[in-house]
Amino acid sequence: QIPKDPTQRWLRELAAMSQQLQQVHPNVLAKILKQRTLYQNEEIVVIDKPYGLPVHGGPGIKNCIADVLPILAKMLENMKAEPLHLCHRLDKETTGVMVLARSKEAAEKIRLLFKTRQVEKIYWAIVLGDPDPVEGVVEIPIVEKEVKSHQSHYKMTLAPRYRVCAEDGRVVKARGDRHAERAVTRYRRLAATSACSLLQLQPITGVKHQIRVHLAYGLGCPILGDHKYSHWSKLAPQKLPELTLRRLKLEQSKARHLPLHLHAHRLCLPLGQPLDFVCKLPPFFQKTLRKLELDIPKD
């Protein structure tokens, strides 16, 4: 049944798009990725990753990018092409610039560039609220923890090395979690209205779900559509401000259908000469910006 309300119809279409990517034949998926190729040379292939497509397989996942790399390589070159290799990962719901390597050697070289923080990555995200200050650096270690609730689950969370002393309000050093990984994210507000902000983000480190955790728990500004990191102790749809719901023409009961608004906008790869790739925002992200009346930056 097709909903009459245009917002609900749009959200239903996005959910259907994600399901369709799981149901298509691997050859069709490879063809979709071929059409989304931004750049290729003898070492790399750069694609614009679609929304809702996982990079790796797992329980309940029929199609993922990793599985169709041999088919994609043949489509891009010839029947004898070596399979492409993954160099980094993006979350299933994240869109944007993704680099694949044509050989094992190239993949190792690029992975090392990522590991040694020589790759500049710029993301854009729509978040709830307004970060204070509007520009800065979040540097708080991150660790994976089990959330014990009626529905126990695992989440990445902050593991700060400092705490506020209850007696006198002084900041004192806390014992660090030995499993925690160093995590650093630069952020800058580009626009703000409708109880939301558009942020530019530069993760300096590459910890799992780093941007999502730093924004939600570090700045108190979860990403729009991030239902996992909008609460700590429960798995529940994100609670949206009244003004945001009005602008999106959405009821809170339908908020669970909102997609994650996180986009890998730009990537600079120092391979000999610096290679700079920019990926324009997906239509659903642009549509949300328009509805919220957030000004789209011109770069």
Side-chain angles (χ1 to χ4, degrees), residues 228-263:
K228 180 165 188 167
Y229 289 108
S230 290
H231 316 272
W232 166 248
S233 59
K234 57 183 176 179
L235 289 168
Q238 186 175 53
K239 183 96 176 72
L240 297 178
E242 272 302 316
L243 179 57
T244 310
L245 289 168
R246 268 205 316 275
R247 286 271 163 87
L248 291 173
K249 294 188 171 63
L250 193 64
E251 293 164 35
Q252 178 57 47
S253 61
K254 305 292 183 215
R256 67 183 184 278
H257 300 303
L258 260 185
L260 182 78
H261 285 71
L262 179 62
H263 176 69

Side-chain angles (χ1 to χ4, degrees), residues 100-114:
L100 308 167
R102 287 194 186 274
S103 67
K104 269 195 183 128
E105 297 73 43
E108 276 161 21
K109 185 163 67 172
I110 293 161
R111 280 181 206 135
L112 187 63
L113 291 174
F114 274 98

Side-chain angles (χ1 to χ4, degrees), residues 106-276:
E108 276 161 21
K109 185 163 67 172
I110 293 161
R111 280 181 206 135
L112 187 63
L113 291 174
F114 274 98
K115 201 174 174 184
T116 52
R117 297 168 196 156
Q118 293 180 64
V119 180
E120 189 186 343
K121 298 167 284 180
I122 300 290
Y123 288 75
W124 281 358
I126 299 174
V127 302
L128 301 183
D130 201 4
D132 181 20
V134 294
E135 186 170 346
V137 178
V138 182
E139 184 168 356
I140 309 171
I142 288 175
V143 70
E144 189 163 30
K145 287 218 167 134
E146 186 179 3
V147 181
K148 296 201 188 303
S149 66
H150 69 288
Q151 229 180 329
S152 284
H153 57 288
Y154 284 87
K155 271 183 189 169
M156 306 304 285
T157 190
L158 302 177
R161 302 237 158 94
Y162 297 89
R163 63 181 177 82
V164 176
C165 196
E167 292 80 57
D168 54 11
R170 276 183 317 119
V171 175
V172 293
K173 210 161 183 194
R175 199 178 70 197
D177 188 315
R178 63 192 175 89
H179 299 296
E181 292 182 73
R182 181 170 176 257
V184 185
T185 310
R186 274 199 193 110
Y187 72 93
R188 179 164 69 91
R189 190 184 73 184
L190 301 174
T193 183
S194 314
C196 290
S197 306
L198 175 65
L199 302 188
Q200 178 171 291
L201 304 143
Q202 185 183 1
I204 309 301
T205 51
V207 180
K208 179 184 173 184
H209 295 173
Q210 174 181 318
I211 291 175
R212 295 165 68 179
V213 172
H214 271 173
L215 291 181
Y217 302 149
L219 288 173
C221 294
I223 297 173
L224 183 66
D226 194 347
H227 308 291
K228 180 165 188 167
Y229 289 108
S230 290
H231 316 272
W232 166 248
S233 59
K234 57 183 176 179
L235 289 168
Q238 186 175 53
K239 183 96 176 72
L240 297 178
E242 272 302 316
L243 179 57
T244 310
L245 289 168
R246 268 205 316 275
R247 286 271 163 87
L248 291 173
K249 294 188 171 63
L250 193 64
E251 293 164 35
Q252 178 57 47
S253 61
K254 305 292 183 215
R256 67 183 184 278
H257 300 303
L258 260 185
L260 182 78
H261 285 71
L262 179 62
H263 176 69
H265 172 61
R266 188 166 159 247
L267 191 141
C268 191
L269 199 61
L271 271 183
Q273 73 208 57
L275 296 168
D276 211 351

